[in-house]
Amino acid sequence: MRRRTVAAAILTVACGLLSPVAISPPAANAAQVVRVDELNSTRSALFIDSPAMGRVIQVQVLHPAGGGSRGSYYLLDGLDPGATQSTWTQATDAEPFFRGKNVNVVLPMGGQASYYTDWISDDPRFGRYRWETFLTQELPPIVDDYFSGNGVNAIGGLSMGGNAAFTLAVRHPEMYTAVAGYSACPDTTIAQGATMFSIANRGGNPLNMWGPPGDPAWAEHNPALLAERLRGKTIFLSTGTGIPGPHELEIKPQLPENLFFGGPIEVGVNACVSAFASRLAQLNIPARVDYSPVGTHSWSYWQDTLHASWPTIGGALGA
């Protein structure tokens, strides 16, 4: 590797307590790598000083031990990302699964309730969120430079990260050859109430993201309205039904949460995925949609669907 610098009413009341704070555009200078930690022969951590975000962002990359050109899979986290590593590597077998595969798996750290987008205003709880700029402009040249990326990219994520993956794919269609969503709802109209509630529930002001309901920014970030931009891309979506399945037979601390919260959430996701799949079908845009007859909104199922998606996503990357 080369080292180079490179709930609508509740929401209305909650949102009304805070008002957006305008911010100026980020500096135009390029992001800088300030440190690289080689965690092992196939996993590295980059610490990147991001002008857009105004702070250092850690990004971990799973990569082959040897050289050679390869594509990159940007894999986004859920609503509550891990602090020191992606929950993908913390809660699933992603690291051993990708070991030996000819691909860079790019795992950004942080971004709680961010939806990996550029917020229109700084937030008192979260600070400056300019994730779209970071992920689409600042980070890719660094990944390609340090990890032999060939410029062929895919993007995916679970839940919040899957919503964001589709949003980024329609807003930057030239960047991604494939997009995946694991238990994700890629329709900001259907998901608007849940999105705003999830931000408020984490202490943020939802108005600081894309403004109030009805603001044009919501439509400008809606993959369902912009679905034509997905034409020609490889698309993978998966959803359960909320009905307990085999992983609910496992004894684990998260079991009550998976049953009482993950079940109902997945019911809503299932309806949204079905609607989005219908939208793609109306446009004659092919997509692989995996409907499981069971499954809650939980990590054990996302590990399963990550594996199931790889022939589709990996094929698009030539990995």
Side-chain angles (χ1 to χ4, degrees):
M1 289 181 274
R2 290 180 290 171
R3 305 296 189 269
R4 184 183 293 182
T5 300
V6 280
I10 296 174
L11 290 170
T12 301
V13 174
C15 295
L17 297 177
L18 295 169
S19 59
V21 178
I23 60 174
S24 57
N29 55 307
Q32 309 286 322
V33 176
V34 297
R35 192 173 98 226
V36 180
D37 291 350
E38 296 183 359
L39 305 177
N40 57 49
S41 62
T42 58
R43 180 175 174 180
S44 301
L46 299 178
F47 294 82
I48 301 168
D49 187 0
S50 163
M53 301 279 269
R55 61 183 183 272
V56 173
I57 305 296
Q58 182 187 171
V59 177
Q60 293 191 5
V61 181
L62 309 178
H63 53 83
S69 176
R70 58 237 180 201
S72 299
Y73 187 28
Y74 290 75
L75 191 56
L76 306 179
D77 223 322
L79 195 64
D80 296 301
T84 58
Q85 62 175 309
S86 167
T87 318
W88 280 109
T89 54
Q90 190 174 44
T92 78
D93 67 351
E95 184 171 10
F97 176 72
F98 283 109
R99 189 174 296 129
K101 294 179 172 59
N102 191 40
V103 64
N104 299 318
V105 181
V106 185
L107 304 163
M109 308 289 105
Q112 183 186 41
S114 67
Y115 288 83
Y116 295 103
T117 191
D118 284 1
W119 286 35
I120 61 174
S121 304
D122 280 355
D123 187 79
R125 167 70 175 84
F126 300 124
R128 177 160 296 182
Y129 272 166
R130 303 279 295 181
W131 281 99
E132 179 176 340
T133 299
F134 177 72
L135 290 170
T136 63
Q137 297 180 31
E138 296 179 339
L139 181 58
I142 293 172
V143 170
D144 289 351
D145 189 35
Y146 275 73
F147 301 100
S148 301
N150 60 14
V152 179
N153 302 312
I155 190 165
L158 77 303
S159 192
M160 176 192 86
N163 300 3
F166 275 84
T167 296
L168 292 171
V170 296
R171 286 175 61 80
H172 302 272
E174 74 287 350
M175 286 200 62
Y176 306 107
T177 188
V179 57
Y182 311 99
S183 293
C185 178
D187 186 324
T188 63
T189 299
I190 294 175
Q192 186 175 76
T195 298
M196 296 185 75
F197 176 78
S198 68
I199 294 169
N201 184 252
R202 268 63 180 180
N205 180 359
L207 299 182
N208 286 330
M209 188 171 75
W210 297 326
D215 191 292
W218 285 87
E220 292 165 3
H221 292 81
N222 192 342
L225 296 178
L226 304 173
E228 183 61 42
R229 299 180 185 179
L230 294 172
R231 189 174 302 280
K233 299 190 186 306
T234 298
I235 300 170
F236 179 93
L237 276 167
S238 63
T239 178
T241 59
I243 298 172
H247 290 302
E248 278 66 52
L249 299 176
E250 303 165 359
I251 304 301
K252 50 191 174 185
Q254 302 88 350
L255 183 58
E257 179 181 359
N258 294 349
L259 288 171
F260 295 110
F261 295 100
I265 290 172
E266 197 70 4
V267 171
V269 169
N270 183 278
C272 180
V273 169
S274 297
F276 190 77
S278 296
R279 168 70 173 153
L280 294 177
Q282 290 169 1
L283 295 172
N284 293 314
I285 297 176
R288 175 179 169 182
V289 185
D290 278 13
Y291 295 100
S292 172
V294 297
T296 60
H297 203 71
S298 54
W299 277 101
S300 296
Y301 294 102
W302 298 326
Q303 174 174 294
D304 292 345
T305 51
L306 177 67
H307 288 209
S309 73
W310 188 242
T312 301
I313 302 301
L317 289 170

